[in-house]
Amino acid sequence: MINEFVCTNISTEDPAALVAFYHEKLGIPVMFEGYDNYDGAKLGFSENAPGIIVWNSSKWGKSSESKVEFVFSCDTNLDEMYQELQAVGVDTPEPRVAEWGGRELNLLDPDGNKIMILEPAQ
């Protein structure tokens, strides 16, 4: 039986650029820098918790047949998060109220993977 969630693998032709986007633009820590040019790099919030592993698709092929959507929460309100993202050059629509009552900020990474950042309902 399955007993642990390990990670989510994503593939890209430019691992260093994708890791830079998640780390420098979104502020997600790099737990492991990978083996060469960020191939196999782990992004996350704890060494022992699941994270995002970035692989070089030119070397390993595609890790999935479809895009993924990463869902994160932020420690600030989404209006401030939106301003921070705009300041570092991330193009994203303004936050919106979701059907479930909280707020969402939706954007794409450089490879087209969806990212949703949540602000809990008050």
Side-chain angles (χ1 to χ4, degrees):
M1 298 297 289
I2 294 173
N3 67 353
E4 181 181 17
F5 177 66
V6 177
C7 67
T8 299
N9 288 320
I10 59 174
S11 300
T12 180
E13 292 181 6
D14 191 347
L18 199 60
V19 168
F21 173 81
Y22 280 95
H23 180 62
E24 295 169 13
K25 306 282 186 178
L26 301 184
I28 298 172
V30 177
M31 296 287 108
F32 174 66
E33 291 188 0
Y35 302 102
D36 181 33
N37 196 34
Y38 291 94
D39 186 25
K42 178 182 180 182
L43 296 148
F45 298 95
S46 168
E47 286 186 28
N48 299 322
I52 300 168
I53 310 295
V54 179
W55 296 103
N56 185 335
S57 61
S58 298
K59 182 176 181 181
W60 305 108
K62 293 174 69 172
S63 61
S64 77
E65 295 304 315
S66 61
K67 300 292 184 187
V68 297
E69 179 176 32
F70 297 110
V71 181
F72 301 102
S73 61
C74 63
D75 59 0
T76 184
N77 73 51
L78 284 184
D79 295 317
E80 291 176 20
M81 185 78 197
Y82 172 76
Q83 294 298 325
E84 290 174 15
L85 291 171
Q86 293 290 304
V88 296
V90 176
D91 184 33
T92 179
E94 292 186 28
R96 67 178 190 87
V97 175
E99 296 79 27
W100 52 271
R103 294 178 69 217
E104 300 175 351
L105 180 64
N106 297 285
L107 59 137
L108 300 174
D109 74 15
D111 282 4
N113 295 300
K114 289 179 159 184
I115 299 170
M116 178 187 299
I117 304 171
L118 302 176
E119 179 183 303
Q122 300 299 325

